[in-house]
């Protein structure tokens, strides 16, 4: 499996404990260092998601949790995720939804990362 924007690897560790062979990419060199220390085997790279360092059709599972909305070019990143995924791969993407009830009621305006970049889109 591949986790894009994996951070320090908590999600990868949970997947590894269930038997997955894990790999990750994150912008933070410090986060990738933590992944290498805690996860051991697998490939972990500090780089943007828009240019993944893996060969075509490699992964059975590709995840990106709570990060796609912060990427400089989310469409390019998605194309890269599709490129490195097998044709029957499972994708798990977690992104904020503009129609999310708490947002519509004005109770949620975004995360602390909103100042940096956070695009929230409708489902359609």
């Amino acid at each position: 499996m591949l986790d894009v924007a994996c951070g320090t690897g908590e999600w990868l560790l949970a997947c590894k404990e269930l038997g997955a062979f894990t790999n990750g990419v994150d912008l933070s060199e410090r986060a990738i260092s933590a992944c290498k220390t805690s996860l051991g085997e697998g490939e972990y790279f500090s780089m943007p998601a828009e240019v993944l360092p893996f060969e075509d059709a490699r992964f059975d599972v590709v995840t990106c949790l709570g990060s796609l909305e912060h990427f400089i070019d989310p469409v390019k990143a998605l194309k890269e995720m599709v490129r490195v995924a097998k044709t029957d791969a499972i994708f798990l993407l977690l992104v904020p939804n503009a129609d999310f009830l708490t947002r519509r009621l004005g109770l949620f305006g975004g995360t602390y990362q909103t100042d940096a970049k956070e695009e929230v889109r409708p489902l359609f």
Side-chain angles (χ1 to χ4, degrees), residues 29-48:
E29 290 180 25
R30 181 186 243 172
I32 291 301
S33 178
C35 286
K36 289 177 180 177
T37 299
S38 66
L39 296 163
E41 60 184 304
E43 294 182 274
Y44 307 96
F45 296 96
S46 176
M47 60 190 321

Side-chain angles (χ1 to χ4, degrees), residues 1 11-22 38-41:
M1 75 161 292
W11 170 243
L12 289 172
L13 184 57
C15 293
K16 182 177 180 175
E17 289 173 352
L18 293 172
F21 184 79
T22 61
S38 66
L39 296 163
E41 60 184 304

